[in-house]
Amino acid sequence: MNTFEEINIKGFADEYVDPTLDLFDEIEKLKKEKNAVILAHYYQEGDIQDIADYIGDSLGLSQQAAKTDADIIVFAGVHFMAETAKILSPEKKVLLPDIKAGCSLADSCPPHLFKKFKENYPDHLVITYVNCTAELKALSDIVCTSSNAVQIVNSLPADQKIIFGPDRNLGRYVAEKTGRDLVLWNGACMVHEIFSREKITKLKERHPDAKILAHPECEEHILELADYIGSTTGILNYATKSDAKEFIVATEAGILHQMEKDNPGKTFIPAPPNNTCACNDCPHMKRNTLEKLYLCLKNEMPEISVPADIIARAVKPIERMLEISAQYGL
């Protein structure tokens, strides 16, 4: 049995798993036995997406976390996502297969520094992208996702001054779409900043009919090439509805699993990074594996905890996001 200290060091429940075990069957048994639900982000490996009860982007996962009646939520994603589930369901046990599955974007905005930054703009309302820590959410007025950020900004009075963080690329995109002058925190996602405009252009030359789909966390010079810009769910929906047969996809490569499942007659090509590494795979998302998920559910650890005072403050901007999203039918 793993101790709390051992899991803290390794990040996950580390014990021998019999290679002859059918992990899909074992996970299904544990889910029924423990009244557990598995929520998985589109950036998870294919096996995890296939075993999940719900697959989605940040908004969809937040909504699902808020309404599930399970006793245990296993969040196959990264730390801030599991924290969001805990904030919305504080009475439930929330598990993360690997506690060290973090986020480069969340790390780019330390709450103590953001608090000082915020103090420089006392008349500004704070909107933070959901890809941030629980503590940062507690410093916010409204949380948003890439799929509702434009609508949330548009829902506010035109003269309302706004700080937007932590993603500068999403913030710049939202400012352009809304015509608002946003004060931006200088943060970014390592995966979405690594795409090469030159390599994508050359790839497009070899696939002239391919549509380029990009996430708004990408840099401006990548978005300029895109035929469609949207959240992971938006990208999926566009690909399904489009008559095109080929797509170049500028976001984390895990999304291709669902795109290929939903569209067997179409070809999806991951946008190339600006070097030879597999940088369009998020190393944090990919820390989770099917084995870790099985052990996490079996041992009911690692467990996510968020201090009660942080939950009390962080739940308000999340609830406001969900209310505005409902008003817009998102």
Side-chain angles (χ1 to χ4, degrees), residues 219-289:
E219 294 180 294
E220 187 172 10
H221 64 271
I222 300 299
L223 297 185
E224 287 170 352
L225 299 174
D227 297 288
Y228 174 80
I229 301 167
S231 66
T232 47
T233 296
I235 287 172
L236 276 165
N237 291 340
Y238 181 92
T240 298
K241 293 174 183 175
S242 173
D243 293 332
K245 295 299 180 184
E246 290 186 309
F247 302 87
I248 297 167
V249 186
T251 188
E252 212 275 352
I255 194 176
L256 269 66
H257 180 70
Q258 285 301 316
M259 298 179 95
E260 290 166 350
K261 281 181 70 174
D262 293 349
N263 304 277
K266 298 179 180 181
T267 300
F268 299 96
I269 308 163
N274 57 17
N275 51 34
T276 56
C277 72
C279 298
N280 49 357
D281 277 328
C282 173
H284 303 289
M285 284 282 186
K286 297 306 191 279
R287 287 187 70 96
N288 297 317
T289 64

Side-chain angles (χ1 to χ4, degrees), residues 6-58:
E6 286 173 333
I7 285 184
N8 252 6
I9 292 168
K10 295 178 180 177
F12 57 94
D14 185 16
E15 62 185 66
Y16 174 75
V17 177
D18 184 343
T20 66
L21 272 183
D22 184 327
L23 292 180
F24 282 86
D25 282 350
E26 294 301 317
I27 289 168
E28 288 294 344
K29 288 176 191 173
L30 287 168
K31 275 166 43 180
K32 290 173 184 170
E33 176 189 323
K34 296 171 182 280
N35 188 28
V37 65
I38 298 173
L39 310 182
H41 193 273
Y42 287 125
Y43 296 165
Q44 292 294 289
E45 65 174 47
D47 282 348
I48 290 178
Q49 293 187 45
D50 290 342
I51 196 67
D53 298 289
Y54 181 85
I55 313 159
D57 60 7
S58 296

Side-chain angles (χ1 to χ4, degrees), residues 301-321:
M301 56 196 319
E303 183 177 357
I304 296 295
S305 62
V306 180
D309 62 317
I310 297 293
I311 288 178
R313 287 185 284 136
V315 72
K316 294 175 183 176
I318 297 172
E319 286 178 342
R320 192 164 177 196
M321 171 190 75

Side-chain angles (χ1 to χ4, degrees), residues 159-181:
D159 59 352
Q160 174 63 62
K161 296 178 180 179
I162 298 169
I163 294 172
F164 188 97
D167 192 291
R168 63 174 177 263
N169 294 317
L170 178 60
R172 183 209 51 76
Y173 173 78
V174 171
E176 180 184 301
K177 286 293 181 183
T178 61
R180 305 288 279 267
D181 183 18

